């Protein structure tokens, strides 16, 4: 694969979106399936290519470096394209099973979202990062409005306002960067004096905006309110794409533009540790499955970025490994929740009971995914947390014990939250005998003994879980890719040379 093919990862889903809008119906749904499959295949092809060529770059339109819009791929980019494409495919499969893919313009909106994600992962300058994030957001506003509960109409305003304000802050930060450094190309910015306080302030504004989009505490409050009001399909997409693109951009800018900025390590360790704790224990106050999982999304952001704060090769690799794990496992849990909602018309704890005996396959999938969130074997989360703990062991003095303590306490919080969810939803009396269904406690209709979940509705969640289990059984290949990606973040020489080469 050559650098000149990189634009196809943006162009193909955009063309699919256009065709889907012009010719709705079955053709649009076929394109909806083919677009993420093609993205996943492109990501795998990039991974194979990066075994020989560390960085591929292409100036769109063939313009000279510094003028052309740079699209750049390295191992980190390829890993992210592959895992986001795979998770998007699973989400679309669930939308097809539930009939959500038949909604007017749903295929077009999802393919446009996918194009924005691929562009944000590939772009080599911060202004076009902003452009592609906006390409992601435009269809997202419509997806929020057309899916989920009636609360989406009010929550949609929150989602729109937060993202518009954050995008404005991001654009202001990019303007400041250009005013100080005279460029927005990340390869060029890597040569700017990172100790210049004006430059640090400008880049700090950019990182602040990305932190809001990622859901870092204390800028997280909008996320557990907005995401659960959408459908399970859209929430799974947003979990895999929106927050993870913001985290990816934080990794890329911090390492490439600020050269790691080790002087920020202490406040970042504290900030991301608090994010882990708030997310882990925030679930305990919730009474709906997807609202509980939304807080675990925030905790996952803390785990991932903790590797960035540690800043070593092992720390960066562990953070990236955990990000792949979190995308897969959170997608599996959210799609499992969607399957529950489809069969039993709710994801509230009070309307569910005894699903362990009623839906044994669902119970296995959810139990294994919950174990992965906590960090128990057999799960990819086990190796993710072991990697972060091993990286923390290289810190100085009391920081070792502080970080390890936060890891343990946050994991206990997740265990308590998942145990409560399991007890309320999967234990208890059979659902048809539950006093919460059809007996005045809720407006939910009663459930008879024959009501069961369709097996196909659980298949996408099960597929993502199987990939997570495969990572546990054979973690070596992914770990080696994460180490290679971490090396590329620590030494950006190849990245800069590929982008600036005539």
């Amino acid at each position: 694969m050559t650098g000149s093919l990189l634009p196809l990862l943006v162009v193909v889903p955009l063309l699919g979106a256009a065709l889907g809008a012009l010719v709705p119906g079955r053709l649009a749904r076929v394109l909806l399936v083919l677009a993420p499959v093609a993205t996943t295949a492109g990501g795998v092809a990039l991974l194979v290519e990066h075994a020989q060529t560390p960085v591929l770059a292409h100036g769109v339109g063939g313009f000279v470096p510094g003028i052309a819009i740079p699209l750049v791929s390295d191992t980190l980019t390829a890993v992210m394209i592959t895992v986001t494409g795979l998770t998007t495919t699973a989400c679309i499969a669930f939308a097809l099973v539930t009939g959500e893919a038949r909604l007017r313009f749903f295929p077009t909106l999802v393919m446009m979202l996918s194009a924005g994600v691929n562009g944000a992962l590939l772009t080599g300058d911060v202004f076009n990062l902003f452009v592609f994030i906006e390409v992601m957001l435009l269809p997202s506003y419509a997806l929020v409005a057309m899916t989920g509960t009636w609360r989406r109409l009010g929550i949609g305003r929150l989602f729109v306002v937060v993202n518009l304000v954050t995008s404005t802050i991001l654009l202001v930060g990019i303007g400041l960067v250009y005013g100080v450094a005279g460029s927005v190309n990340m390869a060029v910015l890597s040569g700017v004096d990172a100790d210049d306080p004006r430059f640090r302030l400008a880049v700090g504004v950019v990182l602040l905006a990305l932190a809001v989009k990622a859901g870092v505490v204390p800028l997280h409050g909008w996320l557990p309110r907005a995401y659960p009001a959408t459908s399970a399909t859209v929430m799974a997409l947003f979990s895999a794409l929106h927050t993870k693109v913001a985290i990816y951009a934080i990794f890329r800018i911090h390492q490439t533009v600020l050269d790691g900025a080790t002087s920020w390590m202490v406040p970042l360790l504290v900030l991301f540790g608090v994010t882990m704790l708030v997310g882990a224990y925030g679930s305990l106050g919730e009474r709906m499955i997807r609202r509980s999982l939304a807080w675990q999304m925030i905790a996952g952001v803390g785990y991932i970025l903790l590797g960035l704060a540690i800043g070593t090769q092992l720390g960066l690799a562990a953070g990236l490994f955990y990000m792949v794990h979190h995308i897969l496992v959170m997608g599996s849990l959210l799609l499992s929740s969607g399957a529950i909602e489809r069969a039993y018309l709710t994801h509230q704890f009070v309307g569910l009971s005894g699903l362990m005996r009623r839906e044994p396959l669902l119970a296995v999938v959810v139990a294994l995914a919950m174990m992965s969130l906590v960090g128990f074997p057999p799960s990819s989360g086990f190796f993710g947390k072991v990697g972060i703990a091993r990286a923390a062991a290289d810190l100085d003095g009391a920081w070792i014990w502080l970080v390890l303590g936060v890891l343990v306490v946050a994991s206990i919080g997740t265990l308590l939250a998942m145990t409560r969810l399991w007890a309320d939803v999967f234990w208890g009396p059979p659902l048809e005998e539950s006093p919460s269904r059809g007996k005045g406690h809720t407006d939910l209709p009663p459930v008879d003994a024959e009501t069961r979940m369709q097996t196909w509705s659980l298949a996408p969640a099960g597929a993502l879980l199987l990939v997570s289990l495969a990572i546990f059984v054979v973690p070596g290949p992914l770990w080696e890719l994460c180490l290679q990606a971490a090396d590329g973040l620590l030494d950006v020489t190849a990245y800069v040379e590929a982008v600036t080469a005539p």
Side-chain angles (χ1 to χ4, degrees):
M1 186 171 185
T2 64
S4 60
L5 296 179
L6 293 178
L8 291 178
L9 289 167
V10 179
V11 171
V12 168
L14 275 181
L15 285 176
L19 289 173
L22 292 173
V23 189
R26 183 173 297 178
L27 176 60
R29 292 192 292 275
V30 170
L31 294 172
L32 178 62
V33 174
L34 292 178
V37 170
T39 293
T40 307
V44 173
L46 286 173
L47 287 173
V48 173
E49 181 65 27
H50 290 316
Q52 305 296 327
T53 308
V55 182
L56 291 174
H58 175 69
V60 176
F63 292 99
V64 298
I67 297 178
I69 298 173
L71 297 181
V72 195
S73 175
D74 58 5
T75 302
L76 172 58
T77 305
V79 168
M80 289 297 297
I81 287 175
T82 302
V83 71
T84 55
L86 179 65
T87 308
T88 301
T89 303
C91 293
I92 288 169
F94 184 76
L96 290 170
V97 170
T98 61
E100 199 169 5
R102 294 180 178 273
L103 294 173
R104 188 74 165 93
F105 295 123
F106 182 89
T108 291
L109 294 170
V110 173
M111 285 185 280
M112 186 175 177
L113 171 62
S114 180
V117 170
N118 292 347
L121 296 174
L122 287 167
T123 187
D125 71 64
V126 288
F127 178 75
N128 284 288
L129 173 66
F130 164 79
V131 171
F132 283 118
I133 286 177
E134 293 306 299
V135 173
M136 290 170 49
L137 286 173
L138 286 173
S140 300
Y141 298 145
L143 288 170
V144 170
M146 69 189 294
T147 64
T149 65
W150 280 106
R151 289 185 67 246
R152 72 188 185 274
L153 298 178
I155 294 300
R157 291 195 297 269
L158 171 67
F159 184 82
V160 170
V161 170
V162 168
N163 280 285
L164 285 177
V165 172
T166 307
S167 294
T168 302
I169 296 172
L170 177 59
L171 188 58
V172 169
I174 293 168
L176 292 173
V177 169
Y178 186 79
V180 172
S183 177
V184 291
N185 187 305
M186 283 189 273
V188 175
L189 294 176
S190 68
V192 177
D193 181 10
D195 293 325
D196 183 345
R198 299 175 305 159
F199 184 65
R200 284 199 170 202
L201 174 62
V203 177
V205 174
V206 173
L207 293 176
L208 172 65
L210 293 171
V212 177
K213 292 181 180 295
V216 176
V217 172
L219 309 170
H220 67 291
W222 65 276
L223 193 152
R225 291 183 60 198
Y227 280 18
T230 66
S231 69
T233 305
V234 173
M235 185 174 176
L237 279 171
F238 285 4
S239 173
L241 305 180
H242 275 281
T243 56
K244 301 311 183 292
V245 164
I247 293 172
Y248 163 86
I250 291 172
F251 268 83
R252 179 70 71 189
I253 293 172
H254 185 268
Q255 293 301 126
T256 304
V257 177
L258 293 179
D259 194 26
T262 55
S263 60
W264 291 11
M265 184 185 74
V266 171
L268 290 180
L269 285 174
V270 173
L271 180 64
F272 300 145
V274 171
T275 300
M276 292 161 55
L277 293 171
V278 170
Y281 286 90
S283 293
L284 293 174
E286 299 295 346
R287 297 180 178 275
M288 291 185 284
I289 297 175
R290 288 199 281 118
R291 283 183 67 92
S292 178
L293 294 176
W295 286 98
Q296 297 304 317
M297 288 170 56
I298 294 169
V301 171
Y303 283 104
I304 296 165
L305 291 175
L306 187 65
L308 177 69
I310 294 171
T312 62
Q313 182 205 34
L314 188 56
L316 292 170
L320 298 175
F321 189 101
Y322 198 90
M323 179 153 57
V324 173
H325 139 76
H326 200 258
I327 291 172
L328 296 171
V329 170
M330 191 57 63
S332 179
L333 284 170
L334 291 171
L335 294 181
S336 296
S337 174
I340 293 172
E341 292 174 55
R342 184 166 185 261
Y344 301 107
L345 306 180
T346 184
H347 66 118
Q348 297 184 40
F349 293 175
V350 70
L352 298 167
S353 177
L355 293 188
M356 182 174 67
R357 292 181 294 274
R358 190 183 193 91
E359 305 283 358
L361 182 58
L362 168 72
V364 170
V365 171
V366 172
L368 289 173
M370 286 180 174
M371 290 171 63
S372 193
L373 274 188
V374 177
F376 290 154
S379 69
S380 55
F382 171 74
F383 285 117
K385 291 192 176 182
V386 167
I388 294 172
R390 175 63 186 85
D394 293 331
L395 295 171
D396 295 329
W399 285 107
I400 299 175
W401 304 109
L402 180 62
V403 172
L404 292 178
V406 170
L407 278 170
V408 172
V409 173
S411 296
I412 292 173
T414 298
L415 176 61
L416 292 174
M418 295 299 100
T419 300
R420 179 172 181 264
L421 190 159
W422 180 268
D424 285 349
V425 174
F426 290 89
W427 286 351
L431 192 56
E432 63 270 17
E433 301 175 8
S434 173
S436 63
R437 300 284 304 214
K439 298 182 180 180
H441 294 272
T442 69
D443 58 357
L444 296 172
V447 174
D448 57 45
E450 286 72 32
T451 301
R452 290 293 186 277
M453 179 185 301
Q454 290 184 350
T455 303
W456 280 111
S457 66
L458 192 60
L464 292 178
L465 179 67
L466 286 176
V467 177
S468 174
L469 294 176
I471 292 173
F472 173 80
V473 175
V474 189
L478 177 59
W479 184 249
E480 288 299 322
L481 288 172
C482 291
L483 287 173
Q484 185 178 334
D487 286 336
L489 290 173
L490 290 169
D491 183 3
V492 298
T493 303
Y495 185 94
V496 172
E497 289 177 350
V499 175
T500 58

